[in-house]
Amino acid sequence: MSAPAGDPDASPVRVLVADDDADIRDLVEFKLTQAGYAVEAVPDGVSAWEAFEANPPQLAVLDVMMPGLSGIDVLRKIRESGHPSVPVLLLSAKSRDSDVDTGFAVGADDYVIKPFSPRELLHRVNGMLARAR
């Protein structure tokens, strides 16, 4: 996923990862970097929004429950920004149907419940980016 086939000069796909749990953030960053993505990992919602505004990624992975701005708050801001079509995957320990419904209602493209398989997360990211092209 670092460059489209036949275009070795293309930049890697940029992914923003925001999670206040350092272990999860590091795991997601490692798995996506290993797959060839350029990952910017941040520890909270405020940092996620600042990073998004400074350099919008091709995809964002946001934890729902973060200090400052929640992942839902950041998602709302993304959808209201000049880049509303950036795919967003929400990560959350909140697994009730109403929590998942809220994520999709606000504009999430996917919702993954913790704990999750890093391999499955990578497949979902790959699929979201393929559909966004």
Side-chain angles (χ1 to χ4, degrees), residues 1-4 11-17 31-33 35-39 56-61 85-89 109-110 120-133:
M1 285 255 112
S2 59
S11 302
V13 172
R14 289 178 301 98
V15 178
L16 173 63
V17 174
K31 192 68 175 173
L32 295 179
T33 300
Y37 294 108
V39 178
Q58 278 95 355
L59 183 136
V61 177
S85 62
V86 171
V88 176
L89 183 149
D109 297 283
D110 205 348
E120 179 183 347
L121 179 74
L122 178 60
H123 288 307
R124 288 174 182 251
V125 165
N126 289 340
M128 290 170 65
L129 287 166
R131 286 187 296 279
R133 285 195 192 103

Side-chain angles (χ1 to χ4, degrees), residues 11-130:
S11 302
V13 172
R14 289 178 301 98
V15 178
L16 173 63
V17 174
D19 198 308
D20 60 321
D21 182 322
D23 291 335
I24 291 175
R25 185 175 64 247
D26 292 347
L27 174 65
V28 173
E29 180 180 19
F30 173 78
K31 192 68 175 173
L32 295 179
T33 300
Q34 188 179 45
Y37 294 108
V39 178
E40 180 172 2
V42 297
D44 57 62
V46 172
S47 299
W49 178 240
E50 289 171 352
F52 186 93
E53 278 191 306
N55 192 13
Q58 278 95 355
L59 183 136
V61 177
L62 307 173
D63 179 30
V64 170
M65 296 185 296
M66 293 186 289
L69 292 173
S70 72
I72 296 290
D73 295 332
V74 176
L75 174 56
R76 280 191 183 104
K77 287 176 155 297
I78 290 171
R79 294 297 178 243
E80 294 167 359
S81 76
H83 305 279
S85 62
V86 171
V88 176
L89 183 149
L90 292 177
L91 289 177
S92 183
K94 297 176 100 179
S95 61
R96 292 189 329 234
D97 287 345
S98 61
D99 297 320
V100 176
D101 291 346
T102 297
F104 283 114
V106 173
D109 297 283
D110 205 348
Y111 192 107
V112 174
I113 297 168
K114 298 175 185 178
F116 59 89
S117 158
R119 174 184 260 159
E120 179 183 347
L121 179 74
L122 178 60
H123 288 307
R124 288 174 182 251
V125 165
N126 289 340
M128 290 170 65
L129 287 166

